[in-house]
Amino acid sequence: MLVQVALPVPLYRVFDYSVPAEKASSNAALPKIGSRVEVPFGRQTLIGIVVAHISPADSNVPASKLKPIYKCLDSEPILDASMLKLAYWLARYYHYPLGDVLAVMLPSLVRQGKPLDLLITHWRILPHVTDDDFRANAKKQKQQFDMLKLHGKRGASEDVLLLEGMQRSFLKTLEDKGLIERFIEPKIAPLTVKLAKMPLDLNEEQKLAVDAIVSAQQAEEYTGFLLNGITGSGKTEVYLQAMQAVLEAGKQVLILVPEIGLTPQTRARFASRFAAQIVLLHSGMTNTYRLQGWQDCRTGHAQIIIGTRSAVLYPFANLGLIVVDEAHDASYKQQDTLRYHASDVALYRGLQQKIPVILGTATPTLEHLKLVDDAKLVEYQLRTRPGLANPATMQLIDARLQSTHQQSQDDGASFDTGLTDALITAIRQTLEAGDQVLVFLNRRGYAPVLLCESCGWQADCPRCDAHLTVHYSSQNQQNSYLKCHHCDWQAYIPAVCPDCASQNLDARGLGTTRLSENLHALFANPQTSKTLYPIIQIDRDTTRRKDSWENIYQRINQGKPAILVGTQMVAKGHHFPNVTLVCLPNADRGFLSADFRSPEHTAQLMIQVAGRAGRGDKAGRVLIQTLQPDNELLLKLVKDGYLSFARQLLQERKMLGLPPYSYAALIRCEGKTLAATTQALTDAIAGLPDAHNLAVLGPIDAPMSKKNSRYHSQLLLLAKERPQLHHILEHWWPSVLTMSSAKYLKLTLDIDPIGW
């Protein structure tokens, strides 16, 4: 017998290998399907997954050219039949090589052939150690010691301690002082899940949803649920009570969240309800922890799994429920390698495992609404907030009728704050009432462009078709620079214009840093404000450091009056009970984009940000500053709400024949010249079968035709029926990759793209 191996190479095939004579005496000695093997491949040695056993007669490779496997790395399969079936489905649906699909599904250490070891490092306090062993000035060491002491004599695993905030350097220091010790012990089976806190009372809408989900779980049948609840309506409580029945039945629950920043607070929420083994999975973890998490899922040690999109590809011993929180979020779409959408994969896995899947959101995508219309998802709506909390009221501020506020400086000059007087007055009144304000601007940095007022020169990225963003701080001018947010190219801010030597360089536009400084001048300057209010900036620049987001979150939840200035990071599932006012000073951009999905995404973002207001006992309101108060879509959103807005967009999509009423495949081509990429896509179109009945749009330049010194073109294929599109792609796409004009170019295929 021979073995067929899927290897991590960009080839749409598997490879046949012979088995050394000492292992060929019986089929029982063959490497098992789903196990890893080390094999020769050209001049390389690769790790692959055995996907089949075949007889020599079924192989297309002559016996003289068959190579033997070097080594079998696993005595038992690491991927069972259901995981291999998932891999085949992913390869088939996304038209991606099977070996590369399996490489995406496996943690890097598993791909490298490392042993699967359940032994992990634990730490515990030595029996003779007491609090008296610490010097009075060793406060930080004592603090870390006290955290470990909470775990008693048995101690805790290193990954748990690090998640709780301990630092590895302090553990090593305490060990060197003879106060604690590290030890290794195998993981034991987790205890039965118990409630750590009693559930809350459900309203009628929540109870209907929980009963339906539990019924599907008990019947062991797949049902996809769209939990369509306004922000703050108690979707998490529905998750928790639906999970209870699953966990009590001894099954695992997978909870997907869109961002790494949400995983710690989500873990805290679930840990406060259940005494269970909770595992976090995201890209911020080390390779060792990712391997341990993968193993915990596979062996059943993990009972509640909280992860970002890649967690949906993990193996599970006994999965009973999948929850996709904030299911509308674009972060669930992988934008490189295997371009899968985690929500779609979650629904497939639910069908495969015969378990319920919950897609929870306040702003469902048009695709999910279409699935409800087609009876492929069951919708449950949550229209009310628990207790006395009501949804925030939304109001437009016409920026045409009142110019933005000009603030005077100490030297007599003035600057434009970017905020109207009405917005500033509302912010001040909210702060004086003891509440918090969230000002949302989805553009980080100081300003989006640096402009010469004399000759019109603009600071552009030399490697991309994009302006350089100005990063500037009046408090630390040495840390000021220009940066491209697409390729990370950086440069110093010039003192004079490179074209005309003028000193009249002006940073135009508003970023979160500049907005924070403007608000500081208005509300944290003793010359302009009787009370000084903190300005808390929340974006990728201020949350880079370890624990920075947790520290910001704790500062916000102290409840003191403050102004939060944030990008879309603040819109995703965060609970700020003391925020009663949300301000959107630049609400027009998204409705003016050329991307046909932009109005949908903009509305989702606005509603999600608006949902941060009034989540506690106090009423909330949302002020939208706009230069287009008569924009029909904006008025529809404000007056009638997101669902009515989405239904109108859905009708427009139907009339235009756009997704979700058609099915799209986007081919991107990247190369050294635009002419080469365009020619390759032109040749690809020529290779389409006659009478293909597809709408072919392109080739055209990508929205950013030059990025990181490479040129990009794209081609869009639209079909009325999904099987029709995939049937054509199955035969056409592999031939495109082998075209002579595609040599030295990078061609990628994106099924169900979220934008073009």
Side-chain angles (χ1 to χ4, degrees):
M1 296 294 288
L2 308 178
V3 291
Q4 285 191 326
V5 181
L7 294 173
V9 293
L11 298 172
Y12 288 77
R13 50 168 296 196
V14 293
F15 301 88
D16 298 347
Y17 287 90
S18 64
V19 180
E22 62 271 18
K23 293 186 177 181
S25 56
S26 68
N27 288 345
L30 287 172
K32 295 186 177 179
I33 294 174
S35 64
R36 294 173 298 168
V37 289
E38 188 178 281
V39 297
F41 186 79
R43 297 180 180 180
Q44 308 174 70
T45 298
L46 298 179
I47 307 294
I49 300 292
V50 177
V51 294
H53 297 157
I54 62 171
S55 68
D58 294 327
S59 175
N60 295 324
V61 182
S64 60
K65 292 188 176 182
L66 282 170
K67 296 181 179 180
I69 63 171
Y70 286 156
K71 189 190 301 181
C72 179
L73 301 178
D74 305 302
S75 58
E76 295 296 329
I78 64 168
L79 296 176
D80 62 17
S82 67
M83 289 301 293
L84 289 176
K85 184 179 178 182
L86 172 65
Y88 276 107
W89 178 81
L90 289 166
R92 186 171 61 252
Y93 186 80
Y94 292 103
H95 300 274
Y96 203 67
L98 177 64
D100 281 342
V101 168
L102 289 166
V104 171
M105 294 172 64
L106 296 173
S108 60
L109 293 182
V110 177
R111 297 197 302 269
Q112 293 168 19
K114 303 294 184 184
L116 308 180
D117 190 1
L118 284 180
L119 300 177
I120 62 170
T121 301
H122 286 63
W123 293 89
R124 65 187 168 202
I125 298 170
L126 290 168
H128 65 275
V129 176
T130 65
D131 291 349
D132 297 333
D133 292 305
F134 287 88
R135 297 193 312 271
N137 60 354
K139 293 181 180 179
K140 288 189 176 180
Q141 292 181 21
K142 180 64 167 60
Q143 182 185 26
Q144 300 275 308
F145 177 83
D146 289 340
M147 291 173 66
L148 180 54
K149 192 163 66 172
L150 293 173
H151 292 278
K153 296 179 180 179
R154 292 188 60 187
S157 64
E158 186 173 293
D159 53 345
V160 169
L161 294 173
L162 293 175
L163 284 170
E164 291 177 350
M166 293 194 73
Q167 297 177 27
R168 190 178 282 108
S169 60
F170 278 104
L171 290 170
K172 185 69 172 63
T173 300
L174 294 174
E175 181 188 34
D176 292 342
K177 290 187 173 183
L179 301 174
I180 67 175
E181 66 175 352
R182 70 176 83 196
F183 63 100
I184 303 295
E185 71 174 17
K187 289 188 176 180
I188 58 175
L191 300 174
T192 304
V193 175
K194 294 182 180 178
L195 280 175
K197 188 169 71 174
M198 291 304 294
L200 303 177
D201 293 332
L202 299 177
N203 61 32
E204 194 59 36
E205 292 175 335
Q206 290 173 312
K207 191 173 186 306
L208 283 172
V210 170
D211 289 346
I213 297 164
V214 171
S215 296
Q217 185 269 326
Q218 291 175 343
E220 296 186 351
E221 62 182 22
Y222 160 73
T223 308
F225 294 95
L226 177 63
L227 189 63
N228 182 1
I230 61 172
T231 53
S233 59
K235 293 187 290 293
T236 304
E237 188 61 30
V238 172
Y239 303 158
L240 288 164
Q241 297 204 24
M243 287 168 57
Q244 184 177 339
V246 177
L247 294 169
E248 288 175 349
K251 296 187 175 182
Q252 298 167 296
V253 176
L254 171 63
I255 301 139
L256 297 180
V257 293
E259 292 285 347
I260 292 175
L262 292 176
T263 45
Q265 71 178 72
T266 307
R267 182 187 190 279
R269 185 77 184 270
F270 288 99
S272 68
R273 177 65 61 88
F274 298 110
Q277 189 67 33
I278 301 177
V279 169
L280 298 185
L281 300 172
H282 56 71
S283 59
M285 304 174 73
T286 65
N287 286 338
T288 302
Y289 294 147
R290 289 169 71 85
L291 172 58
Q292 291 171 358
W294 185 83
Q295 274 285 73
D296 287 346
C297 295
R298 176 174 164 266
T299 59
H301 286 86
Q303 295 167 313
I304 299 174
I305 301 96
I306 302 169
T308 48
R309 62 174 176 255
S310 61
V312 78
L313 303 178
Y314 276 45
F316 299 97
N318 193 11
L319 192 59
L321 175 68
I322 302 176
V323 177
V324 184
D325 195 28
E326 308 290 348
H328 64 278
D329 200 284
S331 300
Y332 285 122
K333 174 70 172 179
Q334 175 74 22
Q335 296 292 1
D336 54 16
T337 63
L338 174 65
R339 290 171 166 78
Y340 66 93
H341 198 297
S343 290
D344 296 338
V345 178
L347 292 172
Y348 176 81
R349 293 206 71 175
L351 177 65
Q352 184 186 29
Q353 303 285 338
K354 297 182 179 178
I355 59 173
V357 179
I358 307 171
L359 305 181
T361 178
T363 52
T365 65
L366 302 193
E367 282 75 12
H368 291 159
L369 290 176
K370 174 73 162 46
L371 288 176
V372 170
D373 294 344
D374 294 343
K376 293 179 179 178
L377 286 179
V378 179
E379 182 182 25
Y380 283 90
Q381 293 189 9
L382 306 181
R383 303 180 186 87
T384 58
R385 286 181 166 182
L388 302 175
N390 292 314
T393 57
M394 302 181 74
Q395 176 185 343
L396 296 180
I397 294 178
D398 190 345
R400 301 173 306 178
L401 302 179
Q402 47 180 301
S403 58
T404 51
H405 180 79
Q406 303 293 314
Q407 180 67 21
S408 298
Q409 295 177 301
D410 295 339
D411 58 4
S414 63
F415 64 91
D416 186 354
T417 62
L419 307 171
T420 58
D421 287 333
L423 211 58
I424 292 171
T425 300
I427 293 172
R428 191 174 297 282
Q429 291 173 346
T430 304
L431 294 171
E432 290 174 350
D435 298 329
Q436 294 174 339
V437 178
L438 170 60
V439 184
F440 173 79
L441 182 65
N442 202 24
R443 181 191 278 155
R444 63 190 178 99
Y446 184 81
V449 64
L450 183 67
L451 176 73
C452 175
E453 294 182 333
S454 298
C455 71
W457 170 86
Q458 298 180 34
D460 292 331
C461 176
R463 303 194 300 195
C464 303
D465 285 335
H467 299 312
L468 293 172
T469 299
V470 181
H471 285 259
Y472 171 81
S473 173
S474 58
Q475 298 176 350
N476 184 9
Q477 296 186 21
Q478 292 181 345
N479 191 29
S480 300
Y481 53 92
L482 298 170
K483 182 175 182 178
C484 177
H485 287 174
H486 303 281
C487 72
D488 290 334
W489 192 87
Q490 286 189 201
Y492 290 111
I493 298 177
V496 298
C497 173
D499 283 1
C500 70
S502 169
Q503 295 183 358
N504 295 327
L505 295 178
D506 184 26
R508 291 287 181 92
L510 207 59
T512 48
T513 303
R514 188 175 203 169
L515 179 58
S516 297
E517 290 193 0
N518 293 350
L519 289 165
H520 188 278
L522 291 167
F523 298 101
N525 186 340
Q527 296 179 348
T528 57
S529 181
K530 295 179 181 178
T531 306
L532 306 184
Y533 299 103
I535 314 297
I536 305 174
Q537 184 177 333
I538 310 166
D539 56 27
R540 198 181 302 172
D541 297 321
T542 61
T543 57
R544 287 185 188 280
R545 294 183 179 179
K546 184 180 179 182
D547 299 329
S548 56
W549 172 236
E550 287 75 10
N551 294 333
I552 290 173
Y553 204 76
Q554 290 176 5
R555 190 179 170 196
I556 294 170
N557 284 334
Q558 289 175 358
K560 297 178 182 178
I563 301 176
L564 322 181
V565 180
T567 59
Q568 61 183 358
M569 287 181 66
V570 300
K572 300 181 178 182
H574 298 295
H575 181 64
F576 304 132
N578 295 297
V579 170
T580 58
L581 174 65
V582 168
C583 302
L584 290 84
N586 188 1
D588 299 321
R589 288 179 62 213
F591 291 108
L592 302 175
S593 171
D595 183 358
F596 82 99
R597 291 187 189 271
S598 188
E600 176 191 3
H601 293 162
T602 300
Q604 289 170 340
L605 195 53
M606 289 175 65
I607 294 298
Q608 291 292 333
V609 175
R612 301 314 108 199
R615 295 174 70 92
D617 297 331
K618 300 177 183 178
R621 59 177 179 149
V622 182
L623 299 181
I624 303 171
Q625 182 176 296
T626 175
L627 289 167
Q628 289 189 317
D630 50 359
N631 183 301
E632 291 185 8
L633 287 174
L634 182 58
L635 286 172
K636 183 76 173 175
L637 180 66
V638 171
K639 288 182 177 180
D640 300 331
Y642 177 79
L643 269 184
S644 180
F645 169 91
R647 286 292 175 186
Q648 178 174 317
L649 282 185
L650 206 55
Q651 282 300 113
E652 292 177 4
R653 298 269 188 93
K654 187 174 184 178
M655 288 188 293
L656 294 171
L658 290 171
Y661 293 95
S662 61
Y663 303 92
L666 184 66
I667 294 91
R668 297 183 178 93
C669 186
E670 174 188 330
K672 291 183 177 181
T673 66
L674 205 54
T677 59
T678 303
Q679 184 59 52
L681 294 181
T682 302
D683 293 345
I685 294 173
L688 283 168
D690 296 335
H692 53 69
N693 203 25
L694 298 177
V696 180
L697 306 177
I700 58 173
D701 295 353
M704 183 174 290
S705 60
K706 183 184 178 185
K707 183 177 179 181
N708 205 9
S709 299
R710 302 275 290 177
Y711 291 88
H712 301 255
S713 299
Q714 63 186 40
L715 171 67
L716 180 68
L717 305 179
L718 288 174
K720 291 183 178 180
E721 302 293 336
R722 180 179 276 127
Q724 172 197 12
L725 175 65
H726 286 275
H727 177 72
I728 291 173
L729 289 174
E730 182 180 359
H731 303 284
W732 173 75
W733 177 242
S735 68
V736 169
L737 297 175
T738 59
M739 297 185 310
S740 59
S741 57
K743 199 173 183 180
Y744 308 119
L745 301 178
K746 181 181 179 182
L747 281 156
T748 58
L749 175 63
D750 189 356
I751 302 296
D752 303 329
I754 60 172
W756 57 72

